[in-house]
Amino acid sequence: PGIFETAMSDDVKRAVLQRPDGSYVSLESPVQPGERLRAFVTGLGRPIASSGVLINTNQSGTSGDDALPQNPVTVRLAGRDIQPVSTVYSTESIGVYVLTFDVPGDIQTGTDVDFSVLAQVGDQNVIGKLSKLPVQ
């Protein structure tokens, strides 16, 4: 699994995270405990739509027929495993999943809190490259 990142105001790359109101997490607007966020990830395998249709390479999802990864996905935040609220293949971008999760209310704070995504393949968890996020 891969997490899309952006260079923040200190030129350090961190995860691209979006709030429900459309605003993005930054050093100047860090993650708040208890907040719901969307991460943009890739590498979760071939999506399958609710209707049972497999999404092909170079194809985005279809509006009204959510496509999900075929393998279970977990968010790892500050060393804690969190079940996502949803993981849906994007209808606007090819190869991108929108992973929605809730930040625990007692999460550690700092500008570089560890953030990663795990996909269960068979009986193994495949962990993507570690990213970071700022938490206030």
Side-chain angles (χ1 to χ4, degrees):
I3 299 168
F4 288 89
E5 296 180 316
T6 187
M8 295 195 174
S9 60
D10 62 354
D11 290 326
V12 174
K13 289 184 181 178
R14 294 182 184 86
V16 173
L17 299 168
Q18 186 181 44
R19 296 182 170 93
D21 68 3
S23 66
Y24 287 90
V25 169
S26 66
L27 287 177
E28 296 74 27
S29 182
V31 171
Q32 301 297 311
E35 195 168 29
R36 179 164 286 181
L37 298 172
R38 290 186 289 253
F40 301 93
V41 301
T42 191
L44 299 182
R46 188 173 181 189
I48 185 166
S50 299
S51 64
V53 174
L54 284 169
I55 304 298
N56 292 316
T57 301
N58 295 326
Q59 182 181 357
S60 62
T62 304
S63 292
D65 192 12
D66 286 349
L68 310 175
Q70 295 182 44
N71 300 308
V73 176
T74 302
V75 172
R76 184 165 288 164
L77 187 56
R80 295 168 58 182
D81 289 351
I82 301 166
Q83 292 306 307
V85 173
S86 65
T87 308
V88 179
Y89 191 66
S90 175
T91 58
E92 299 174 4
S93 301
I94 295 170
V96 178
Y97 282 92
V98 180
L99 190 153
T100 303
F101 65 98
D102 292 328
V103 177
D106 61 347
I107 193 70
Q108 77 179 57
T109 60
T111 56
D112 291 310
V113 175
D114 288 347
F115 177 68
S116 58
V117 175
L118 297 76
Q120 184 178 345
V121 180
D123 61 350
Q124 291 187 329
N125 279 329
V126 178
I127 302 172
K129 179 183 173 281
L130 181 66
S131 187
K132 304 285 183 179
L133 53 85
V135 179
Q136 183 177 37

